[in-house]
Amino acid sequence: MSVTRACSDWDSVRPATCTCSCSCSSSSSSASRLSLSLYMHCSCNSAMNGSLKVNTDSSNGIGSVMDAADSLQSSFTYMGRKFADISLNDDSSSAFSDCNSDRSGEFPTTSSESRRLFLACASENSDELIAQLVSDLDSSDIDEQKKAAMELRLLAKNKADNRIKIARAGAIKPLISIVSSGDLQLQEYGVTAILNLSLCDENKEEIAYSGAIKPLVRALKVGTSTARENAACALLRLSQIDDNKIAIGRSGAIPPLVNLLENGHFRGKKDACTALYSLCSVKENKIRAVQAGIMKPLVEMMSDLGSNMVDKSAYVLSLLVSVADARASLVEEGGIPVLVEIVEVGTQRQKEIAAAILLQLCEDCPAYRTLVTREGAIPPLVALSQTGTSRAKQKAGYHSWCQSRPTTACGH
């Protein structure tokens, strides 16, 4: 018997911003200022000497590029916040969703066992079966252990109340021991049972406190493909407790997550991307991710506009670009042309994320601004300045603040 998937389909979540070609009010006025501020950042003399002609439509409330820049300058004072205080990721919920229980749904082939588990899942009184299965986890017979771990996994998957019952019956520590097993199938069952138990918020702290993080990281490195995906999801669930983010990063989880992002199956890539997005809200994990080579797979996924990974990888990147080494790595991996292409042909939300990343990249580095300009960013940015989403206005309102900052060496 095999354990299949662990995560829900993220792409079933409808994007929060309209990505159609219509001129709906929710997306008609926003990325204008964001793209305009980046336009002003990146424009060099050759772009401003008349060789670039900008057609503006007064109905968009812009009038001209320079008038809009003046408007931004005057509107800056009421914002009262620094550019760094604006989150590039505050609309990420529609790109990411939490990992849910495994989606296998299969029961043992023996009819009596199938009936027993089915009744236990449907019953309010599964305590006796749970107690027996928890006891069997400590059996000297590995087949008994596999059977017990698999059945606990199914009980936790199919009935939320059972997650609390299983944890209270003392299953967490023996399941963690099973996660450390050298038998890959047993390890897979243990990892997936831990994942399903972690769906209950009450269990997350106990799972982490009982020492699950390091065994899950080991499974992430050496387990079956399913075990690796489910370990990534379990670590994601545990990372929802802030203190665990640092512990997970220091336990060595970032490099194998980056490896899964680069080399995993499609669902594994999504699992890894979500886990990394959660973990990289902590600065030290951002540094670890860059050192592990995350920029290469992120740029590759963003360059494949049909992969359903553009939004997810761009959101992860938007977290990382606050780190100087990440900005340098992004440029080295050819990220600027990819981001410019997204601004030109991506969905409305993708354009906004890419423009925000480019703005942060260019903020203090004249050399990067020159590279962005040479990649042909100005025309699509000007176009975006007339048709963006409402969310980008706030980000772009910091253009004058950014311009007033003294330029320093790139990356500082």
Side-chain angles (χ1 to χ4, degrees):
M1 290 167 282
S2 63
V3 182
T4 56
R5 277 298 309 136
C7 293
S8 61
D9 187 356
W10 310 2
D11 297 316
S12 63
V13 183
R14 188 180 183 275
T17 55
C18 179
T19 59
C20 63
S21 58
C22 66
S23 55
C24 59
S25 59
S26 65
S27 64
S28 62
S29 60
S30 132
S32 52
R33 294 191 181 179
L34 174 60
S35 57
L36 180 61
S37 64
L38 184 53
Y39 164 78
M40 294 301 294
H41 261 308
C42 295
S43 293
C44 58
N45 291 334
S46 62
M48 297 292 290
N49 65 3
S51 59
L52 174 65
K53 295 184 179 180
V54 182
N55 295 320
T56 57
D57 181 352
S58 59
S59 65
N60 288 323
I62 293 179
S64 71
V65 170
M66 296 310 297
D67 289 343
D70 292 338
S71 173
L72 286 176
Q73 195 117 7
S74 62
S75 67
F76 167 73
T77 54
Y78 83 88
M79 296 284 192
R81 295 167 59 201
K82 294 182 179 180
F83 175 79
D85 294 334
I86 297 180
S87 171
L88 300 177
N89 311 290
D90 48 2
D91 189 35
S92 59
S93 59
S94 57
F96 294 99
S97 64
D98 289 340
C99 292
N100 293 325
S101 60
D102 66 283
R103 302 173 66 194
S104 53
E106 81 278 2
F107 286 94
T109 55
T110 306
S111 59
S112 61
E113 291 182 346
S114 296
R115 179 174 176 78
R116 179 180 67 154
L117 274 179
F118 178 79
L119 292 175
C121 288
S123 173
E124 295 296 326
N125 187 20
S126 55
D127 301 47
E128 184 177 341
L129 174 58
I130 288 172
Q132 180 60 53
L133 292 174
V134 171
S135 176
D136 289 345
L137 291 175
D138 292 322
S139 173
S140 58
D141 185 341
I142 194 170
D143 290 332
E144 282 294 315
Q145 287 183 303
K146 288 181 181 179
K147 179 173 173 291
M150 185 274 297
E151 294 189 6
L152 286 169
R153 168 185 71 82
L154 287 171
L155 289 171
K157 171 190 184 301
N158 288 289
K159 193 170 179 63
D161 290 347
N162 284 339
R163 295 166 191 156
I164 297 176
K165 291 182 180 180
I166 292 169
R168 290 178 178 174
I172 289 177
K173 286 188 176 180
L175 282 172
I176 291 173
S177 296
I178 283 176
V179 172
S180 301
S181 171
D183 184 290
L184 294 182
Q185 187 180 51
L186 179 60
Q187 180 190 65
E188 184 180 304
Y189 291 162
V191 167
T192 312
I194 289 292
L195 164 62
N196 290 352
L197 292 179
S198 73
L199 299 178
C200 173
D201 289 339
E202 291 183 31
N203 292 338
K204 291 176 186 175
E205 189 171 349
E206 183 180 353
I207 290 171
Y209 182 78
S210 298
I213 291 175
K214 288 186 178 180
L216 286 171
V217 171
R218 182 178 181 274
L220 186 61
K221 293 176 180 177
V222 302
T224 65
S225 61
T226 299
R228 294 174 67 206
E229 293 166 4
N230 292 353
C233 286
L235 290 169
L236 166 65
R237 300 295 302 188
L238 298 183
S239 74
Q240 291 169 346
I241 297 175
D242 286 341
D243 289 345
N244 289 341
K245 296 181 193 292
I246 294 175
I248 292 170
R250 293 178 180 178
S251 295
I254 303 298
L257 282 171
V258 171
N259 182 271
L260 183 61
L261 181 69
E262 185 169 13
N263 301 309
H265 301 305
F266 177 65
R267 200 168 290 275
K269 290 178 183 290
K270 296 206 293 185
D271 298 345
C273 203
T274 315
L276 286 163
Y277 180 77
S278 176
L279 293 170
C280 287
S281 62
V282 176
K283 183 176 180 179
E284 65 182 70
N285 288 338
K286 297 178 187 181
I287 296 171
R288 291 187 180 99
V290 174
Q291 292 173 342
I294 192 174
M295 206 56 66
K296 181 175 181 289
L298 287 180
V299 170
E300 288 177 350
M301 287 188 295
M302 287 192 302
S303 69
D304 186 357
L305 295 178
S307 69
N308 294 319
M309 290 293 294
V310 176
D311 296 46
K312 299 171 183 63
S313 52
Y315 273 120
V316 175
L317 177 57
S318 72
L319 282 177
L320 298 175
V321 290
S322 62
V323 176
D325 287 348
R327 295 193 291 273
S329 180
L330 172 62
V331 174
E332 290 171 5
E333 293 295 341
I336 289 178
V338 172
L339 290 166
V340 171
E341 182 183 15
I342 292 173
V343 173
E344 187 171 14
V345 301
T347 65
Q348 197 67 47
R349 180 173 65 177
Q350 290 166 1
K351 291 178 180 182
E352 179 183 332
I353 304 168
I357 295 170
L358 286 170
L359 178 59
Q360 193 161 357
L361 183 67
C362 293
E363 183 181 343
D364 287 327
C365 184
Y368 291 166
R369 295 176 203 169
T370 300
L371 290 174
V372 171
T373 303
R374 288 176 178 173
E375 285 298 331
I378 303 304
L381 286 170
V382 171
L384 185 60
S385 74
Q386 301 174 18
T387 59
T389 66
S390 60
R391 300 175 37 76
K393 281 185 176 179
Q394 186 185 36
K395 300 169 188 171
Y398 294 88
H399 157 63
S400 59
W401 177 77
C402 294
Q403 272 201 320
S404 66
R405 297 184 66 189
T407 58
T408 61
C410 295
H412 298 283

